[in-house]
Structure formats: structure tokens, C-alpha cells
């Protein structure tokens, strides 16, 4: 069975084609700068070197046409006919309260995704364009929408409500939704499988640390709490996003003459590691600057760790203890300095770092010492595979 996974952004379309019998990737790539100057098509067939082409692509329909052409190309393609694709899984950013799990796409679902666009105006509309482009080129092939927010819908009101007037929740749907749900779900189940934990009972902290970062407290496959909020701006310190700040800061900025758009740019694009270090949003640059004694970079790194520890401590308590803490995302999978700084502080929970294991670049690896009460492990995320699996299960 072949499943195509599509992640359509405002000017990009990422794709992965899976053969589900072996859960293997046949090809993947992206089309970027859609509708902008010099759109680029990067295509990587398993076993070959990636190729790059500049094509004139003005919208998602054009991107889908180019992709279909490539998929069935006699020389570079991976299928003989588009009819070999049995399902298409779409990443959709916001499912609001309406979508608590992946769903087969029909007109009602598309209307629902459109309604949720009020909560994700930059993401849901292009997600929908990707869905409609697929409908044009793969008529009759079932599409499945997999929502970034869905896994977190198991949160209870005490976790998802803000202490604001209830009217705002009722009228404007203002509450915590959480994001990276597909990644948290994949890492939770893969981590349980790898560590031999019962996913119906396990208590796990999943740290998805990348340019965007979030942590989730998960018990028995249900999210008790997660650090992102109504938007992906909340919570941990990120590459350029501030994470948690006093809402009064926003008021103060506006009262001091900053426009709403300027505040938006400050909080989303000029804060986080970038804003505090003044050097870079990239953890590799921060670590290098720390080693060369840059004190602003060191403060950015320390703030990143401090914030994480505050969440880890709170979530450990909410879970009533935990069997595992799992690291994923570009930083979680690769930055041994981050993992060391965190795990050194987790001795209080019975977690002791295995320095050697932590330094190796590994896929699925335990990095705490044998006998640790709280086991620490690296579990690389695979959102595309999770989407493909959910699509396959639904059809
Ligand atoms: P992501 O958004 O998941 O792709 O993660 C991107 C982040 O991972 C960036 O901050 C990178 O600096 C970080 N990253 C990737 N490789 C490494 C590495 N070897 N050491 C430290 N950070 C890394």
C-alpha cells in the first residue's frame, strides 16, 4: 500500500511517499517559494542523490502537478500510475475543539478546517489548498486530515482554560490547544515500544526541542498538559519566539507606541535564543558562542534550560512521577549539551546521565544510566510516518 503525505504551507509543499508494507520512504522532497521568485523543486528518491530544479510554479495546484509528473516519471519516479496511491495524509495545523483525532476528508471536514482558520490564519488556508490540489490530481483517492492540535485535545479544563472571563472562551474559542501533537504522539508510542513501557499506563515527558519547542506530560496516551498555548508562541524559549512572557509586557509595549504588528514581529521573530543572545536562533551557533565565552549566548542557553526545568518539574508533579523523559526535534536529538544540562538537574528524580551514551549521535537510545528511576532517551520524531499510519488506519 502506498500513502502520500502532504504538508502544504503558505509558499511550500513538502511531500513523502511511503510504502506501508515495510514502512519505508520511496521518495520525499519539497517545492518551495511557490508563487514567489524562482520556485525550487527538491526531489529525493530513496537510494538516489537529491535533485533540484527551478520551475515556474504559481500555486499549490501547479506544485501538485509538478509532483505528480515526477512521481510517475519513467526514469525518476516511484510509481507507474497515480492510481497506485491508496491514501493521502495531510498535515493540518489547527483542528480547534472540533477535531480530536485524524479524520477522513469530506466537504464537512473541509468546512471545519476553514472555520478553524480563525485560530491559524497563516496555516489552515494553505493546508486546505494542498487538500484541494490533491483532490484535483487524485480523484477518488481518500484524503485524511491529521491535526497538530488533536492529540492534545485530551487535556482537561484545568489545563486548557486560561483564567480569563469565560465569555472569551465561549465567544472567541480562547484556550490552550497545544501544537506538535503528531510529533508528541509518535514519540510517546515509539518511546513506549522502545523502552518496553505499557502505552496504556506509562507516564512520560516528551520534550520536542527544535526551532519551535514544546513539552508534553502524557499519561496512558492522554496529554495532561503541554507548553504551547492558543498559539505556538507560548511556553519554552524557542529559536526566535519568546515563549511564556507576562501578558502585561504586550500591553506595556503597545502603550509605549509599538504597533500590534511590531509587537507580533518582536515576540515571534526577534525573541527567543536570537533575541537574548543577539547572535543566532540556531542552537549550534549558541553552543559555539558559549564555548568561546560569549556571556549573552550563555544567558540565552541558561534561560532555555531554566525554562525547560520549570516545565519539567511542574509536569513531573502533574503526572505524579514519570517512567521516562524523551528527547526529540533538532535540539533534542542532537544537542548533548542541552540534554546534559537538563539531566544533570534531574538527579532529584532518580535520573543519572550516561555521559558516553549522551555524546553519541544515535537513533532511539537510552542516555540515562541503568537503574535510573526516570529513564532518559532520545527518540527521533517522524511526523510523516505518523500521518501515513493514521491515514492508513482510517481507510
Ligand atoms: P528543528 O526545528 O527540529 O529542525 O531543529 C532545529 C534546531 O536544531 C536548530 O536550533 C539547530 O541548531 C538544532 N540542531 C541541529 N543539529 C544540532 C546539533 N548537532 N547540536 C545542537 N543543535 C542542533
Amino acid at each position: 500500500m502506498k500513502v502520500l503525505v502532504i504538508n502544504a504551507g503558505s509558499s511550500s509543499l513538502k511531500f513523502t511517499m511511503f510504502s506501508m508494507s515495510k514502512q519505508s520512504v520511496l521518495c520525499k522532497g519539497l517545492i518551495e517559494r511557490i508563487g514567489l521568485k524562482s520556485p525550487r523543486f527538491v526531489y529525493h528518491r530513496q537510494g538516489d542523490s537529491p535533485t533540484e530544479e527551478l520551475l515556474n510554479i504559481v500555486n499549490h495546484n501547479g506544485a501538485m502537478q509538478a509532483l505528480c509528473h515526477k512521481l510517475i516519471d519513467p526514469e525518476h519516479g516511484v510509481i507507474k500510475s497515480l492510481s497506485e496511491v491508496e491514501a493521502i495524509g495531510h498535515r493540518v495545523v489547527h483542528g480547534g475543539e472540533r477535531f480530536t483525532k485524524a479524520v477522513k476528508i469530506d466537504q464537512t471536514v473541509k468546512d471545519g478546517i476553514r472555520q478553524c482558520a480563525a485560530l491559524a490564519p497563516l496555516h489552515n488556508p494553505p493546508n486546505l489548498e494542498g487538500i484541494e490540489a490533491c483532490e484535483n490530481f487524485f480523484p477518488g483517492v481518500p484524503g485524511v486530515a491529521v491535526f497538530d492540535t488533536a492529540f492534545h485535545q485530551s487535556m482537561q479544563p484545568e489545563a486548557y482554560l486560561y483564567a480569563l472571563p469565560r465569555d472569551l472562551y465561549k465567544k472567541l474559542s480562547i484556550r490552550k490547544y497545544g501544537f506538535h501533537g503528531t510529533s508528541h504522539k509518535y514519540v510517546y508510542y515509539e518511546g513506549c515500544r522502545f523502552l518496553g513501557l505499557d502505552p496504556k499506563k506509562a507516564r512520560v515527558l516528551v520534550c520536542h526541542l527544535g526551532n519551535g519547542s514544546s513539552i508534553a506530560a502524557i499519561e496512558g496516551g492522554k496529554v495532561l498538559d503541554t507548553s504551547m498555548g492558543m498559539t505556538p508562541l507560548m511556553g519554552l524559549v524557542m529559536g526566535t519566539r519568546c515563549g511564556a512572557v507576562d501578558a502585561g509586557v504586550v500591553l506595556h509595549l503597545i502603550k509605549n507606541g509599538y504597533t500590534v504588528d511590531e509587537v507580533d514581529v518582536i515576540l515571534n521573530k526577534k525573541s527567543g535564543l536570537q533575541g537574548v543572545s543577539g547572535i543566532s536562533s540556531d542552537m549550534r551557533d549558541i553552543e559555539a558562542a558559549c564555548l568561546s565565552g560569549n556571556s549573552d549566548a550563555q544567558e540565552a542557553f541558561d534561560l532555555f534550560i531554566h525554562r525547560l526545568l520549570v516545565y519539567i518539574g511542574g509536569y513531573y508533579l502533574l503526572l505524579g512521577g514519570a517512567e521516562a523523559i524523551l528527547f526529540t526535534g533538532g535540539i533534542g536529538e542532537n544537542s548533548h549539551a542541552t540534554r546534559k544540562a537538563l539531566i544533570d538537574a534531574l538527579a532529584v528524580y532518580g535520573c543519572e546521565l550516561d555521559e558516553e551514551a549522551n555524546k553519541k549521535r544515535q537513533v532511539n537510545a537510552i542516555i540515562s544510566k541503568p537503574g535510573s528511576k526516570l529513564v532518559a532517551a532520545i527518540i527521533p520524531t517522524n511526523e510523516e510516518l505518523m500521518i501515513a499510519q493514521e491515514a492508513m488506519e482510517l481507510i
Side-chain angles (χ1 to χ4, degrees):
M1 178 176 186
K2 302 207 170 67
V3 176
L4 179 62
V5 172
I6 296 290
N7 179 356
S10 58
S11 64
S12 70
L13 188 140
K14 295 189 187 127
F15 60 90
T16 311
M17 176 80 91
F18 286 95
S19 167
M20 295 310 285
S21 51
K22 293 186 226 121
Q23 301 210 331
S24 58
V25 173
L26 299 176
C27 69
K28 63 181 184 176
L30 86 160
I31 299 167
E32 60 184 354
R33 299 202 289 263
I34 297 170
L36 304 171
K37 207 171 150 230
S38 317
R40 195 167 72 117
F41 185 175
V42 182
Y43 177 78
H44 189 188
R45 183 168 71 172
Q46 196 58 31
D48 293 351
S49 302
T51 59
E52 268 188 46
E53 287 169 78
L54 293 182
L55 296 173
N56 185 22
I57 296 174
V58 295
N59 55 27
H60 286 78
N61 225 34
M64 193 54 67
Q65 187 174 27
L67 172 58
C68 289
H69 196 70
K70 189 66 94 184
L71 292 175
I72 56 171
D73 182 90
E75 211 179 325
H76 304 287
V78 289
I79 48 177
K80 289 202 174 67
S81 148
L82 295 181
S83 63
E84 285 178 47
V85 176
E86 289 183 61
I88 303 175
H90 293 272
R91 176 182 182 227
V92 179
V93 166
H94 220 303
E97 289 191 324
R98 180 168 179 162
F99 298 107
T100 57
K101 52 186 185 333
V103 287
K104 224 169 134 177
I105 297 169
D106 57 16
Q107 190 55 47
T108 317
V109 168
K110 286 198 287 176
D111 291 343
I113 294 172
R114 204 167 282 120
Q115 277 155 18
C116 293
L119 294 163
L122 299 180
H123 295 101
N124 276 27
N127 295 160
L128 206 49
E129 279 180 51
I131 290 171
E132 290 182 335
C134 281
E135 288 173 345
N136 293 337
F137 288 91
F138 294 88
V141 177
V144 170
V146 181
F147 300 90
D148 255 22
T149 49
F151 187 49
H152 299 302
Q153 278 294 307
S154 48
M155 281 186 293
Q156 295 300 300
E158 64 271 23
Y160 70 69
L161 284 178
Y162 294 127
L164 293 167
R166 196 172 277 275
D167 265 8
L168 295 176
Y169 166 54
K170 290 195 179 144
K171 280 195 214 140
L172 293 173
S173 306
I174 292 176
R175 51 158 282 180
K176 176 189 286 194
Y177 293 94
F179 297 86
H180 290 143
T182 309
S183 173
H184 285 294
K185 184 173 181 183
Y186 175 83
V187 172
Y188 175 79
Y189 284 102
E190 179 62 10
C192 285
R193 188 197 63 74
F194 176 64
L195 298 173
L197 298 171
D198 179 355
K200 294 199 177 78
K201 287 199 268 191
R203 295 166 302 168
V204 174
L205 294 148
V206 177
C207 304
H208 178 117
L209 310 177
N211 274 326
S213 293
S214 68
I215 173 169
I218 306 169
E219 180 176 22
K222 296 205 165 15
V223 175
L224 300 194
D225 207 347
T226 188
S227 57
M228 283 181 169
M230 177 173 130
T231 74
L233 185 56
M234 177 59 184
L236 302 176
V237 174
M238 307 186 215
T240 61
R241 281 174 254 165
C242 58
V245 289
D246 177 352
V249 171
V250 176
L251 304 178
H252 189 74
L253 286 171
I254 290 172
K255 283 179 185 160
N256 276 279
Y258 289 84
T259 66
V260 171
D261 287 344
E262 283 167 346
V263 175
D264 187 343
V265 171
I266 290 172
L267 302 181
N268 277 296
K269 305 249 164 73
K270 294 191 171 171
S271 297
L273 294 175
Q274 170 73 56
V276 180
S277 72
I279 293 175
S280 170
S281 62
D282 191 304
M283 186 53 101
R284 285 165 291 202
D285 299 335
I286 300 295
E287 287 180 13
C290 289
L291 287 175
S292 65
N294 184 300
S295 60
D296 289 348
Q298 190 63 53
E299 279 182 5
F301 183 81
D302 293 347
L303 172 50
F304 179 81
I305 298 295
H306 177 99
R307 180 75 53 82
L308 260 160
L309 289 175
V310 170
Y311 273 95
I312 290 170
Y315 285 3
Y316 188 87
L317 185 65
L318 280 183
L319 287 164
E323 285 82 45
I325 180 162
L326 307 177
F327 295 96
T328 200
I331 298 173
E333 291 167 34
N334 298 299
S335 169
H336 42 84
T338 296
R339 294 191 304 255
K340 177 172 167 47
L342 292 171
I343 296 172
D344 279 350
L346 296 182
V348 66
Y349 300 146
C351 185
E352 206 188 331
L353 183 69
D354 178 336
E355 303 264 0
E356 286 313 307
N358 184 45
K359 279 187 193 141
K360 286 189 205 142
R361 171 73 182 96
Q362 303 178 80
V363 172
N364 284 8
I366 296 177
I367 53 168
S368 51
K369 283 196 175 153
S372 285
K373 202 167 126 235
L374 173 68
V375 176
I378 302 169
I379 306 288
T381 192
N382 195 339
E383 291 165 273
E384 290 77 17
L385 179 59
M386 185 82 245
I387 293 172
Q389 283 170 345
E390 299 226 32
M392 199 177 76
E393 275 163 29
L394 265 178
I395 65 144

PDB file of all heavy atoms in Angstrom, residues 208-212 239 273 281-285 287 329-332 334-336, ligand 1:
ATOM      1  N   HIS A 208       9.930  18.058  22.790  1.00  0.00           N
ATOM      2  CA  HIS A 208      10.177  18.301  21.372  1.00  0.00           C
ATOM      3  C   HIS A 208      10.921  19.634  21.283  1.00  0.00           C
ATOM      4  O   HIS A 208      10.321  20.697  21.462  1.00  0.00           O
ATOM      5  CB  HIS A 208       8.851  18.345  20.603  1.00  0.00           C
ATOM      6  CG  HIS A 208       9.040  18.650  19.144  1.00  0.00           C
ATOM      7  ND1 HIS A 208       8.698  17.765  18.150  1.00  0.00           N
ATOM      8  CD2 HIS A 208       9.560  19.725  18.516  1.00  0.00           C
ATOM      9  CE1 HIS A 208       9.006  18.295  16.973  1.00  0.00           C
ATOM     10  NE2 HIS A 208       9.523  19.487  17.170  1.00  0.00           N
ATOM     11  N   LEU A 209      12.227  19.559  21.058  1.00  0.00           N
ATOM     12  CA  LEU A 209      13.057  20.772  21.099  1.00  0.00           C
ATOM     13  C   LEU A 209      13.674  21.022  19.728  1.00  0.00           C
ATOM     14  O   LEU A 209      14.530  20.262  19.264  1.00  0.00           O
ATOM     15  CB  LEU A 209      14.166  20.618  22.147  1.00  0.00           C
ATOM     16  CG  LEU A 209      13.711  20.158  23.541  1.00  0.00           C
ATOM     17  CD1 LEU A 209      14.907  19.975  24.467  1.00  0.00           C
ATOM     18  CD2 LEU A 209      12.713  21.145  24.139  1.00  0.00           C
ATOM     19  N   GLY A 210      13.205  22.083  19.071  1.00  0.00           N
ATOM     20  CA  GLY A 210      13.742  22.442  17.756  1.00  0.00           C
ATOM     21  C   GLY A 210      13.668  23.945  17.616  1.00  0.00           C
ATOM     22  O   GLY A 210      13.721  24.664  18.619  1.00  0.00           O
ATOM     23  N   ASN A 211      13.514  24.421  16.398  1.00  0.00           N
ATOM     24  CA  ASN A 211      13.301  25.860  16.236  1.00  0.00           C
ATOM     25  C   ASN A 211      12.058  26.285  16.995  1.00  0.00           C
ATOM     26  O   ASN A 211      12.013  27.321  17.625  1.00  0.00           O
ATOM     27  CB  ASN A 211      13.159  26.213  14.757  1.00  0.00           C
ATOM     28  CG  ASN A 211      14.507  26.433  14.128  1.00  0.00           C
ATOM     29  OD1 ASN A 211      15.424  26.925  14.790  1.00  0.00           O
ATOM     30  ND2 ASN A 211      14.641  26.042  12.888  1.00  0.00           N
ATOM     31  N   GLY A 212      11.027  25.453  16.876  1.00  0.00           N
ATOM     32  CA  GLY A 212       9.850  25.583  17.740  1.00  0.00           C
ATOM     33  C   GLY A 212       9.977  24.477  18.780  1.00  0.00           C
ATOM     34  O   GLY A 212      10.394  23.370  18.445  1.00  0.00           O
ATOM     35  N   GLY A 239      13.664  29.292  18.996  1.00  0.00           N
ATOM     36  CA  GLY A 239      14.686  29.930  18.167  1.00  0.00           C
ATOM     37  C   GLY A 239      14.508  31.436  18.122  1.00  0.00           C
ATOM     38  O   GLY A 239      15.408  32.205  18.490  1.00  0.00           O
ATOM     39  N   LEU A 273      16.119  32.490  21.539  1.00  0.00           N
ATOM     40  CA  LEU A 273      17.591  32.406  21.546  1.00  0.00           C
ATOM     41  C   LEU A 273      18.186  33.578  20.782  1.00  0.00           C
ATOM     42  O   LEU A 273      19.173  34.180  21.192  1.00  0.00           O
ATOM     43  CB  LEU A 273      18.043  31.085  20.898  1.00  0.00           C
ATOM     44  CG  LEU A 273      17.671  29.795  21.637  1.00  0.00           C
ATOM     45  CD1 LEU A 273      18.088  28.580  20.805  1.00  0.00           C
ATOM     46  CD2 LEU A 273      18.340  29.729  23.013  1.00  0.00           C
ATOM     47  N   SER A 281      19.539  32.264  16.100  1.00  0.00           N
ATOM     48  CA  SER A 281      18.433  31.465  16.626  1.00  0.00           C
ATOM     49  C   SER A 281      18.812  29.991  16.629  1.00  0.00           C
ATOM     50  O   SER A 281      18.039  29.144  17.062  1.00  0.00           O
ATOM     51  CB  SER A 281      17.205  31.663  15.728  1.00  0.00           C
ATOM     52  OG  SER A 281      17.500  31.206  14.417  1.00  0.00           O
ATOM     53  N   ASP A 282      19.987  29.686  16.102  1.00  0.00           N
ATOM     54  CA  ASP A 282      20.401  28.293  15.895  1.00  0.00           C
ATOM     55  C   ASP A 282      21.214  27.798  17.094  1.00  0.00           C
ATOM     56  O   ASP A 282      22.230  28.402  17.448  1.00  0.00           O
ATOM     57  CB  ASP A 282      21.241  28.242  14.607  1.00  0.00           C
ATOM     58  CG  ASP A 282      21.497  26.820  14.153  1.00  0.00           C
ATOM     59  OD1 ASP A 282      22.033  26.029  14.947  1.00  0.00           O
ATOM     60  OD2 ASP A 282      21.144  26.523  12.999  1.00  0.00           O
ATOM     61  N   MET A 283      20.777  26.713  17.702  1.00  0.00           N
ATOM     62  CA  MET A 283      21.427  26.220  18.913  1.00  0.00           C
ATOM     63  C   MET A 283      22.897  25.896  18.687  1.00  0.00           C
ATOM     64  O   MET A 283      23.723  26.060  19.589  1.00  0.00           O
ATOM     65  CB  MET A 283      20.662  24.999  19.435  1.00  0.00           C
ATOM     66  CG  MET A 283      21.145  24.484  20.751  1.00  0.00           C
ATOM     67  SD  MET A 283      21.224  25.775  22.025  1.00  0.00           S
ATOM     68  CE  MET A 283      19.758  25.487  22.956  1.00  0.00           C
ATOM     69  N   ARG A 284      23.256  25.479  17.468  1.00  0.00           N
ATOM     70  CA  ARG A 284      24.675  25.184  17.209  1.00  0.00           C
ATOM     71  C   ARG A 284      25.529  26.441  17.369  1.00  0.00           C
ATOM     72  O   ARG A 284      26.615  26.399  17.959  1.00  0.00           O
ATOM     73  CB  ARG A 284      24.863  24.619  15.792  1.00  0.00           C
ATOM     74  CG  ARG A 284      24.401  23.173  15.691  1.00  0.00           C
ATOM     75  CD  ARG A 284      24.244  22.756  14.259  1.00  0.00           C
ATOM     76  NE  ARG A 284      23.103  23.453  13.656  1.00  0.00           N
ATOM     77  CZ  ARG A 284      22.453  23.017  12.588  1.00  0.00           C
ATOM     78  NH1 ARG A 284      22.828  21.909  11.999  1.00  0.00           N
ATOM     79  NH2 ARG A 284      21.423  23.691  12.106  1.00  0.00           N
ATOM     80  N   ASP A 285      25.006  27.578  16.870  1.00  0.00           N
ATOM     81  CA  ASP A 285      25.759  28.842  16.996  1.00  0.00           C
ATOM     82  C   ASP A 285      25.817  29.275  18.452  1.00  0.00           C
ATOM     83  O   ASP A 285      26.825  29.820  18.915  1.00  0.00           O
ATOM     84  CB  ASP A 285      25.075  29.956  16.178  1.00  0.00           C
ATOM     85  CG  ASP A 285      25.028  29.611  14.700  1.00  0.00           C
ATOM     86  OD1 ASP A 285      25.877  28.819  14.251  1.00  0.00           O
ATOM     87  OD2 ASP A 285      24.127  30.130  14.007  1.00  0.00           O
ATOM     88  N   GLU A 287      25.742  27.347  21.113  1.00  0.00           N
ATOM     89  CA  GLU A 287      26.706  26.496  21.833  1.00  0.00           C
ATOM     90  C   GLU A 287      28.140  26.902  21.513  1.00  0.00           C
ATOM     91  O   GLU A 287      28.995  26.966  22.403  1.00  0.00           O
ATOM     92  CB  GLU A 287      26.476  25.023  21.475  1.00  0.00           C
ATOM     93  CG  GLU A 287      25.220  24.477  22.127  1.00  0.00           C
ATOM     94  CD  GLU A 287      24.971  23.012  21.782  1.00  0.00           C
ATOM     95  OE1 GLU A 287      25.869  22.343  21.242  1.00  0.00           O
ATOM     96  OE2 GLU A 287      23.850  22.539  22.046  1.00  0.00           O
ATOM     97  N   GLY A 329      13.300  16.243  18.149  1.00  0.00           N
ATOM     98  CA  GLY A 329      13.476  17.542  17.473  1.00  0.00           C
ATOM     99  C   GLY A 329      14.974  17.795  17.264  1.00  0.00           C
ATOM    100  O   GLY A 329      15.826  17.103  17.851  1.00  0.00           O
ATOM    101  N   GLY A 330      15.296  18.788  16.447  1.00  0.00           N
ATOM    102  CA  GLY A 330      16.693  19.060  16.082  1.00  0.00           C
ATOM    103  C   GLY A 330      17.608  19.216  17.291  1.00  0.00           C
ATOM    104  O   GLY A 330      18.717  18.686  17.322  1.00  0.00           O
ATOM    105  N   ILE A 331      17.147  19.938  18.313  1.00  0.00           N
ATOM    106  CA  ILE A 331      17.973  20.139  19.510  1.00  0.00           C
ATOM    107  C   ILE A 331      17.910  18.895  20.406  1.00  0.00           C
ATOM    108  O   ILE A 331      18.925  18.388  20.865  1.00  0.00           O
ATOM    109  CB  ILE A 331      17.501  21.396  20.289  1.00  0.00           C
ATOM    110  CG1 ILE A 331      17.672  22.643  19.415  1.00  0.00           C
ATOM    111  CG2 ILE A 331      18.255  21.540  21.603  1.00  0.00           C
ATOM    112  CD1 ILE A 331      17.088  23.923  20.010  1.00  0.00           C
ATOM    113  N   GLY A 332      16.708  18.387  20.615  1.00  0.00           N
ATOM    114  CA  GLY A 332      16.535  17.216  21.479  1.00  0.00           C
ATOM    115  C   GLY A 332      17.314  16.008  20.984  1.00  0.00           C
ATOM    116  O   GLY A 332      17.867  15.242  21.775  1.00  0.00           O
ATOM    117  N   ASN A 334      20.016  16.160  18.886  1.00  0.00           N
ATOM    118  CA  ASN A 334      21.429  16.399  18.553  1.00  0.00           C
ATOM    119  C   ASN A 334      22.249  17.134  19.589  1.00  0.00           C
ATOM    120  O   ASN A 334      23.467  17.055  19.572  1.00  0.00           O
ATOM    121  CB  ASN A 334      21.517  17.203  17.245  1.00  0.00           C
ATOM    122  CG  ASN A 334      20.913  16.455  16.086  1.00  0.00           C
ATOM    123  OD1 ASN A 334      21.374  15.384  15.743  1.00  0.00           O
ATOM    124  ND2 ASN A 334      19.860  17.011  15.503  1.00  0.00           N
ATOM    125  N   SER A 335      21.614  17.899  20.453  1.00  0.00           N
ATOM    126  CA  SER A 335      22.413  18.748  21.347  1.00  0.00           C
ATOM    127  C   SER A 335      22.697  18.022  22.661  1.00  0.00           C
ATOM    128  O   SER A 335      21.866  17.990  23.572  1.00  0.00           O
ATOM    129  CB  SER A 335      21.671  20.060  21.630  1.00  0.00           C
ATOM    130  OG  SER A 335      22.315  20.744  22.681  1.00  0.00           O
ATOM    131  N   HIS A 336      23.917  17.445  22.755  1.00  0.00           N
ATOM    132  CA  HIS A 336      24.201  16.746  24.018  1.00  0.00           C
ATOM    133  C   HIS A 336      24.397  17.732  25.155  1.00  0.00           C
ATOM    134  O   HIS A 336      24.165  17.407  26.315  1.00  0.00           O
ATOM    135  CB  HIS A 336      25.346  15.735  23.896  1.00  0.00           C
ATOM    136  CG  HIS A 336      26.525  16.179  23.118  1.00  0.00           C
ATOM    137  ND1 HIS A 336      27.520  16.910  23.657  1.00  0.00           N
ATOM    138  CD2 HIS A 336      26.847  15.982  21.818  1.00  0.00           C
ATOM    139  CE1 HIS A 336      28.429  17.145  22.735  1.00  0.00           C
ATOM    140  NE2 HIS A 336      28.043  16.604  21.605  1.00  0.00           N
TER     141      HIS A 336
HETATM  142  P1  LIG B   1      14.206  21.518  14.070  1.00  0.00           P
HETATM  143  O1  LIG B   1      13.326  22.734  14.103  1.00  0.00           O
HETATM  144  O2  LIG B   1      13.611  20.338  14.768  1.00  0.00           O
HETATM  145  O3  LIG B   1      14.703  21.184  12.696  1.00  0.00           O
HETATM  146  O4  LIG B   1      15.529  21.869  14.920  1.00  0.00           O
HETATM  147  C1  LIG B   1      16.369  22.923  14.572  1.00  0.00           C
HETATM  148  C2  LIG B   1      17.295  23.214  15.735  1.00  0.00           C
HETATM  149  O5  LIG B   1      18.102  22.053  15.997  1.00  0.00           O
HETATM  150  C3  LIG B   1      18.255  24.369  15.491  1.00  0.00           C
HETATM  151  O6  LIG B   1      18.305  25.206  16.636  1.00  0.00           O
HETATM  152  C4  LIG B   1      19.591  23.670  15.345  1.00  0.00           C
HETATM  153  O7  LIG B   1      20.644  24.460  15.785  1.00  0.00           O
HETATM  154  C5  LIG B   1      19.416  22.484  16.274  1.00  0.00           C
HETATM  155  N1  LIG B   1      20.436  21.488  15.988  1.00  0.00           N
HETATM  156  C6  LIG B   1      20.564  20.704  14.909  1.00  0.00           C
HETATM  157  N2  LIG B   1      21.686  19.952  14.988  1.00  0.00           N
HETATM  158  C7  LIG B   1      22.294  20.295  16.162  1.00  0.00           C
HETATM  159  C8  LIG B   1      23.487  19.887  16.840  1.00  0.00           C
HETATM  160  N3  LIG B   1      24.304  18.968  16.313  1.00  0.00           N
HETATM  161  N4  LIG B   1      23.772  20.449  18.028  1.00  0.00           N
HETATM  162  C9  LIG B   1      22.964  21.383  18.572  1.00  0.00           C
HETATM  163  N5  LIG B   1      21.817  21.801  17.999  1.00  0.00           N
HETATM  164  C10 LIG B   1      21.489  21.270  16.807  1.00  0.00           C
END
